[in-house]
Amino acid sequence: MKSSPQIVRDYSKGQVRSADGTTIGYRQRGRGPALILVHGGMQASQHFTRLAATLSAHFTVYVPDRRGRGLSGPHGDHFSVLREVDDLRALVAATGASRIFGLSSGALITLRAALAIPALDRVALYEPPLSVGGSVPMDWVPRLHREIAAGKIASALVTALKGLGTEPVFDRVPRSVLVPLMAAGSRLRRDAPEDEVPIEALVPTQRFDMQIIREMADTVQDYAALDAQVLLLDGAKSPAYFRVALDALSAVLPHARRVSFPGLGHSGPDDDGDPQRVGAAMGDFFGAQ
């Protein structure tokens, strides 16, 4: 499968309307069978620019901004994972997609959507934080809520990064150093390119992603009924709780295979990781010609 190392920003935009009337906007590029990419927490469609470019030679790639971000409408009242499943249902209906990929909390939504939407018959998941017996750390979440409510966005970002443990460097650096660094970096990035969501707007969305993790905790047995082909992906440098989730899913999914990437962490598929490497494995699974 051929891929390009450049970040190519040529794409068109579209939108669908979810069951509750919320607009879900997306970026579209490439040609071939439809493939949906679902980003993770504190992200938007912009974070899959390189992955979409890698896959666009073989697929028509649709990258939605999940609700509450960018091109899409708000989370809305009575938010739950089922709202985001409805969002994907609308996108599948509009695009005819049978292939889908999700990262992190986006992988949780993708997993639940695959159970609810029979058309999705090839499903790739990178490190879904599916909690098994309390395996995903959650004790830091109340602090996140307090900091967001107080408008302390840089502090909330540090709390989330340390709490999730996905970036080991943050575990070694004290908060007193990290918070001012994050605040300064946010100020430098305020002039974001068109269609890109600034980090200060993405951090508050993490509350909803943690809600999804809580909702889906200890549901692994539900997926014994999933008939789709499933590719379970992880980075060898990621926290152990992601492997706990993938081990549990491997044990119950009827049609699953595993691929682990040495040297990669939780950001493997996004623009800060190695999306060409992850995309090559995905392309093989999704049937790139």
Side-chain angles (χ1 to χ4, degrees):
M1 177 180 174
K2 297 180 180 179
S3 59
S4 170
Q6 296 88 11
I7 295 183
V8 181
R9 298 191 179 276
D10 295 334
Y11 56 87
S12 59
K13 292 184 284 187
Q15 62 182 42
V16 294
R17 196 166 297 278
S18 192
D20 69 348
T22 300
T23 295
I24 303 299
Y26 59 83
R27 302 182 183 200
Q28 175 183 341
R29 67 191 314 151
R31 60 180 60 189
L35 167 60
I36 297 171
L37 308 181
V38 187
H39 63 75
M42 294 192 294
Q43 292 187 328
S45 58
Q46 69 214 42
H47 292 92
F48 278 166
T49 299
R50 290 175 59 200
L51 182 62
T54 295
L55 293 163
S56 64
H58 302 275
F59 303 97
T60 304
V61 183
Y62 299 89
V63 191
D65 280 330
R66 287 172 47 205
R67 60 171 59 206
R69 303 158 175 88
L71 299 171
S72 295
H75 287 90
D77 297 332
H78 312 297
F79 175 79
S80 75
V81 66
L82 297 181
R83 292 290 194 200
E84 297 217 42
V85 169
D86 284 342
D87 300 344
L88 291 179
R89 193 193 311 274
L91 190 54
V92 167
T95 63
S98 62
R99 300 163 175 86
I100 191 167
F101 165 77
L103 165 64
S104 194
S105 54
L108 286 181
I109 298 160
T110 297
L111 180 62
R112 202 70 194 177
L115 199 61
I117 306 170
L120 295 173
D121 59 17
R122 286 205 168 249
V123 179
L125 309 171
Y126 193 101
E127 297 187 345
L130 185 63
S131 192
V132 180
S135 58
V136 177
M138 300 286 285
D139 58 335
W140 53 274
V141 176
R143 179 172 187 164
L144 176 78
H145 282 261
R146 291 194 300 271
E147 289 169 338
I148 291 173
K152 298 178 179 179
I153 300 302
S155 294
L157 176 57
V158 171
T159 294
L161 292 172
K162 281 184 170 289
L164 292 166
T166 53
E167 300 293 340
V169 66
F170 289 102
D171 292 334
R172 300 191 292 268
V173 181
R175 292 185 63 93
S176 59
V177 174
L178 284 173
V179 171
L181 283 175
M182 293 296 176
S186 178
R187 285 193 294 271
L188 289 173
R189 293 191 296 268
R190 278 180 183 165
D191 293 330
E194 184 182 4
D195 292 340
E196 295 205 354
V197 188
I199 187 63
E200 59 263 32
L202 291 173
V203 172
T205 66
Q206 188 64 25
R207 295 169 295 174
F208 299 95
D209 288 73
M210 300 314 296
Q211 178 181 332
I212 288 170
I213 293 172
R214 283 195 304 272
E215 284 183 41
M216 291 187 60
D218 297 316
T219 61
V220 67
Q221 288 298 326
D222 293 356
Y223 305 103
L226 183 57
D227 195 43
Q229 298 289 325
V230 181
L231 179 64
L232 300 172
L233 304 167
D234 74 292
K237 294 174 65 177
S238 294
Y241 64 84
F242 291 115
R243 285 185 290 281
V244 170
L246 293 185
D247 288 345
L249 286 169
S250 294
V252 302
L253 286 167
H255 313 291
R257 68 182 81 169
R258 290 277 293 271
V259 175
S260 186
F261 297 96
L264 293 190
H266 193 55
S267 63
D270 70 36
D271 286 352
D272 292 331
D274 192 348
Q276 289 175 272
R277 189 169 157 199
V278 178
M282 288 169 55
D284 290 341
F285 171 70
F286 286 130
Q289 300 299 316

